[in-house]
């Protein structure tokens, strides 16, 4: 308990150090574009692949669970759409990124810590926390909403392909279903969740890396711990946000 | 000029530095010597503020370093260069970008001026045709030299070197030692070098501070070090049998 309080306090103090005025805007901007590519663009493929398959599975599951003549088949499209928008493309994608992006942030910053690179940055009079962490947080917060949108689009596409090729729904019914009583606010809800998740993933991962002590073994351990903490936080915050925004 | 007064530092229960008081003058190479684990790195890092100290005062000229806030420290740090024991080059940047990093951060030079300065610094440490290489593609000694180039990029007033020539061959080690001495004289820097290499001591030790178990045991220079009758110092200096035999005669 004491250590939870200590870590939480230190986390918020680190965030206070991260969000300071940069020493040199040009250099920070360059870091940001680098991180957008590294943490954002490089995650597109995994989001696409996973979304296609999950979209397909959701569609097939919905179809087999509603194999009853009284349900119109367009419900399959509708079910696929809402599951993907409400939960999959924000929460599940966040969990996946907590693994991919989070662990890469922790190991990068952690390695810089144990090889004294962070000390070297501090020695130059640069705020190492801001220099290393701020661009990563900003990059994920800016880019992850696009990943969510991509995931929604590709997920529904995967559902359509699977549904039509398995013959459980006609193309016309599926498309009618995904348009039926569409609530745009759900997308907004999903994107807002994504922004929160993005901030959590990158800041917690960076925090864990920034305070590593020891060597490469500890860096690896810190990455694992960061992924676990992030996953739990994402699921917990998901409950809170859902209650706040959908009730 | 750097003045340290009554500095003490512990990690948990472990006392690493005890009541260290010493002055480092500009224009001379100040050496901190001592065996492995004696507290050299911790002392150096305490002086530059990377370790929080428990007691004592650190003065840079007339500036009281301990009580400075982040902004004031930053202004002093811009005038410091430091070479870390493990080089601490940025893995993701090329040699050139590593050396240019402090200039990118703080100077208003044009790209061309920066590039010239980078090349000048790299030449001073004898690194040629390596601008585009990554640190992972360098040997340990080359990393050290690039790190020195980075440390002197902004013409610092204070230079700190943690074991600048450990892991180097004797020839390169001498080149590095001479380089540090030369730079110190040329720019009238206050230079502090950690080492446990007796060759370096005899080569560059204009001022030598010997620490053992976190305490200053002896202070002097290369010209007096061989005649000392401090037993701990003699054990350190005459650790190898050849030197012992020389002393015997
Ligand atoms: N961050 C730390 N936490 C706890 N103990 C430390 C820490 N850093 C150093 N020490 C301890 O302080 C003592 C002095 O270490 P230091 O690194 O200063 O030695 P050194 O004189 O530089 O040795 P070497 O010549 O091997 O580099 C050692 O006993 C070490 O275990
Ligand atoms: Mg050391």
């Amino acid at each position: 308990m004491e250590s939870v309080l200590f870590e939480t306090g230190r986390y918020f103090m680190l965030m206070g150090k991260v969000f300071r005025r940069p020493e040199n805007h040009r250099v920070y901007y360059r870091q940001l574009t680098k991180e957008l590519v590294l943490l954002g663009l490089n995650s597109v493929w995994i989001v696409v692949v996973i979304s296609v398959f999950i979209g397909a599975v959701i569609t097939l599951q919905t179809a087999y669970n509603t194999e009853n003549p009284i349900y119109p088949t367009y419900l399959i499209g509708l079910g696929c759409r809402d599951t993907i928008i409400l939960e999959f493309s924000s929460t599940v994608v966040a969990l996946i990124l907590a693994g991919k992006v989070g662990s890469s942030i922790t190991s990068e910053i952690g390695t810089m810590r144990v090889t004294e690179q962070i000390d070297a940055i501090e020695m130059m009079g640069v705020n190492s926390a801001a220099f290393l962490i701020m661009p990563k947080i900003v990059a994920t917060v800016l880019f992850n909403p696009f990943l969510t949108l991509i995931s929604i689009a590709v997920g529904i596409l995967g559902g359509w392909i699977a549904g039509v090729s398995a013959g459980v729904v006609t193309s016309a019914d599926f498309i009618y279903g995904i348009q039926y009583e569409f609530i745009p606010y759900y997308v907004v809800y999903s994107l807002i969740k994504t922004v929160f998740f993005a901030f959590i993933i990158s800041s917690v991962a960076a925090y864990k890396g920034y305070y590593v002590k020891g060597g490469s073994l500890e860096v690896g351990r810190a990455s694992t711990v960061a992924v676990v903490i992030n996953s739990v936080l994402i699921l917990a915050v998901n409950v809170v946000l859902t209650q706040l925004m959908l009730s | 000029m750097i003045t340290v007064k009554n500095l003490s530092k512990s990690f948990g229960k472990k006392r690493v530095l005890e009541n260290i008081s010493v002055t480092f003058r500009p224009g001379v190479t100040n050496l901190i010597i001592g065996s492995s684990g004696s507290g050299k790195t911790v002392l150096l890092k305490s002086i530059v503020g990377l370790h929080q100290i428990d007691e004592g005062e650190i003065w840079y000229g007339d500036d009281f370093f301990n009580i400075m806030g982040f902004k004031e420290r930053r202004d002093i740090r811009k005038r410091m260069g430091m070479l870390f024991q493990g080089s601490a080059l940025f893995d993701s940047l090329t040699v050139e970008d590593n050396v240019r990093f402090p200039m990118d951060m703080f100077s208003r030079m044009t790209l061309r001026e920066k590039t010239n300065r980078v090349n000048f610094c790299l030449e001073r440490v004898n690194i040629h045709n390596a601008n585009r290489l990554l640190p992972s593609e360098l040997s340990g000694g080359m990393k050290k030299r690039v790190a020195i180039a980075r440390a002197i990029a902004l013409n610092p007033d204070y230079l700190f070197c943690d074991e600048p020539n450990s892991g180097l061959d004797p020839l390169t080690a001498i080149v590095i030692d001479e380089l540090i001495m030369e730079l110190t004289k040329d720019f009238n820097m206050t230079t502090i070098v950690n080492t446990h290499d007796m060759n370096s001591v005899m080569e560059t030790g204009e001022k030598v501070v010997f620490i053992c178990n976190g305490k200053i045991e002896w202070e002097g220079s290369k010209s007096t070090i061989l005649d000392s009758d401090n037993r701990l110092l003699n054990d350190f200096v005459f650790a190898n049998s050849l030197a012992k035999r020389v002393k015997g005669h």
Side-chain angles (χ1 to χ4, degrees):
Chain A
M1 192 62 217
E2 208 175 309
S3 83
V4 172
L5 282 178
F6 170 75
E7 299 254 344
T8 314
R10 201 168 57 160
Y11 167 83
F12 282 109
M13 269 160 66
L14 179 67
M15 287 305 117
K17 219 178 137 197
V18 167
F19 292 99
R20 292 260 178 88
R21 229 173 70 87
E23 284 88 7
N24 182 326
H25 291 270
R26 267 229 317 277
V27 177
Y28 274 67
Y29 187 74
R30 205 167 63 202
Q31 288 291 105
L32 176 62
T33 45
K34 201 181 86 190
E35 300 296 353
L36 279 171
V37 173
L38 242 54
L39 303 177
L41 272 184
N42 289 355
S43 301
V44 170
W45 65 271
I46 189 167
V47 167
V48 166
V49 170
I50 287 167
S51 301
V52 168
F53 284 115
I54 297 285
V57 167
I58 289 172
T59 304
L60 296 178
Q61 298 267 13
T62 316
Y64 298 135
N65 285 313
T66 56
E67 251 178 338
N68 187 321
I70 62 167
Y71 295 123
T73 54
Y74 72 77
L75 283 185
I76 296 170
L78 186 149
C80 166
R81 176 197 76 197
D82 282 354
T83 315
I84 285 181
I85 294 179
L86 288 176
E87 281 313 319
F88 173 73
S89 289
S90 52
T91 313
V92 179
V93 167
L95 289 173
I96 290 159
L97 293 179
K100 181 181 182 289
V101 171
S103 64
S104 94
I105 290 177
T106 309
S107 54
E108 181 189 333
I109 296 183
T111 305
M112 293 188 76
R113 166 61 74 195
V114 300
T115 56
E116 299 179 312
Q117 292 176 55
I118 293 184
D119 285 342
I121 294 177
E122 282 288 320
M123 275 305 298
M124 292 171 190
V126 177
N127 176 348
S128 63
F131 178 76
L132 292 173
I133 300 175
M134 196 207 295
K136 292 188 199 299
I137 294 181
V138 174
T140 47
V141 166
L142 284 181
F143 203 88
N144 284 21
F146 290 101
L147 290 177
T148 301
L149 290 176
I150 292 170
S151 165
I152 291 174
V154 175
I156 291 175
L157 182 72
W160 175 77
I161 294 171
V164 172
S165 53
V168 294
V169 57
T170 65
S171 174
D173 272 0
F174 188 89
I175 290 168
Y176 177 74
I178 60 176
Q179 291 168 332
Y180 184 79
E181 285 194 354
F182 173 62
I183 303 173
Y185 177 68
Y186 282 1
V187 177
V188 176
Y189 156 80
S190 181
L191 291 179
I192 290 177
K193 284 206 300 187
T194 300
V195 167
F196 276 88
F197 296 155
F199 185 88
I200 292 171
I201 292 171
S202 48
S203 63
V204 170
Y207 165 78
K208 273 291 164 194
Y210 195 79
Y211 287 110
V212 168
K213 276 207 178 82
S216 46
L217 197 65
E218 283 79 5
V219 173
R221 216 172 273 153
S223 302
T224 315
V225 173
V227 172
V228 172
I229 295 177
N230 266 330
S231 309
V232 174
L233 279 178
I234 286 168
L235 295 174
V237 169
N238 187 31
V239 176
V240 176
L241 288 179
T242 305
Q243 177 58 20
L244 284 177
M245 292 169 68
L246 290 189
S247 66
Chain B
M1 173 133 119
I2 299 174
T3 313
V4 176
K5 290 182 190 162
N6 308 99
L7 185 158
S8 294
K9 165 80 191 162
S10 310
F11 288 105
K13 284 209 174 70
K14 185 170 179 188
R15 188 86 152 180
V16 178
L17 295 175
E18 215 170 317
N19 208 11
I20 303 267
S21 295
V22 59
T23 302
F24 302 104
R25 281 185 302 118
V28 295
T29 311
N30 300 281
L31 298 187
I32 300 173
I33 64 171
S35 52
S36 184
S38 55
K40 301 184 295 295
T41 300
V42 174
L43 177 56
L44 203 62
K45 286 192 173 179
S46 299
I47 292 174
V48 301
L50 289 173
H51 284 319
Q52 190 92 37
I53 60 173
D54 304 335
E55 278 166 59
E57 298 177 8
I58 296 160
W59 294 79
Y60 282 80
D62 296 327
D63 295 325
F64 189 15
F65 189 66
N66 302 52
I67 54 157
M68 286 186 171
F70 178 77
K71 284 225 173 71
E72 293 163 296
R73 274 194 186 195
R74 183 168 70 201
D75 291 335
I76 285 209
R77 287 220 166 129
K78 285 183 199 165
R79 292 156 49 209
M80 294 182 188
M82 178 146 180
L83 168 68
F84 288 86
Q85 195 161 359
S87 297
L89 294 177
F90 305 128
D91 305 317
S92 57
L93 301 182
T94 61
V95 165
E96 181 174 326
D97 290 343
N98 259 289
V99 180
R100 204 175 53 214
F101 184 90
M103 295 183 239
D104 281 344
M105 223 57 202
F106 291 118
S107 85
R108 295 181 192 284
M109 291 189 253
T110 62
L111 184 63
R112 201 198 174 84
E113 288 168 333
K114 286 188 221 168
T115 310
N116 286 340
R117 177 75 192 161
V118 168
N119 289 332
F120 172 80
C121 292
L122 286 174
E123 228 137 81
R124 292 245 28 189
V125 294
N126 261 318
I127 295 278
H128 306 282
N129 305 321
N131 289 31
R132 303 248 161 271
L133 297 183
L134 287 169
S136 57
E137 298 169 299
L138 303 178
S139 74
M142 286 168 88
K143 280 186 199 156
K144 278 256 152 79
R145 285 182 280 156
V146 173
I148 294 180
R150 183 177 69 180
I152 59 172
L154 285 182
N155 258 334
D157 296 328
Y158 305 100
L159 182 65
F160 305 94
C161 302
D162 198 354
E163 316 253 349
N165 47 27
S166 67
L168 298 185
D169 64 276
L171 265 178
T172 316
I174 290 175
V175 170
I176 296 281
D177 282 341
E178 283 175 349
L179 172 72
I180 292 173
M181 253 174 97
E182 242 175 76
L183 292 168
T184 304
K185 293 244 150 36
D186 288 357
F187 301 114
N188 198 33
M189 292 189 290
T190 305
T191 302
I192 305 179
V193 178
N194 277 357
T195 186
H196 47 216
D197 176 30
M198 274 316 288
N199 273 334
S200 298
V201 176
M202 298 320 291
E203 195 79 30
T204 62
E206 292 160 287
K207 156 136 190 178
V208 182
V209 178
F210 172 64
I211 61 174
C212 187
N213 293 325
K215 285 197 273 286
I216 294 189
E217 281 292 336
W218 183 86
E219 258 187 87
S221 73
K222 62 183 173 190
S223 50
T224 56
I225 196 166
L226 295 179
D227 309 324
S228 153
D229 46 21
N230 183 310
R231 211 180 54 82
L232 289 167
L233 179 68
N234 283 343
D235 285 349
F236 178 81
V237 171
F238 301 106
N240 68 56
S241 54
L242 177 67
K244 263 192 206 117
R245 247 180 285 150
V246 174
K247 169 95 170 174
H249 285 279

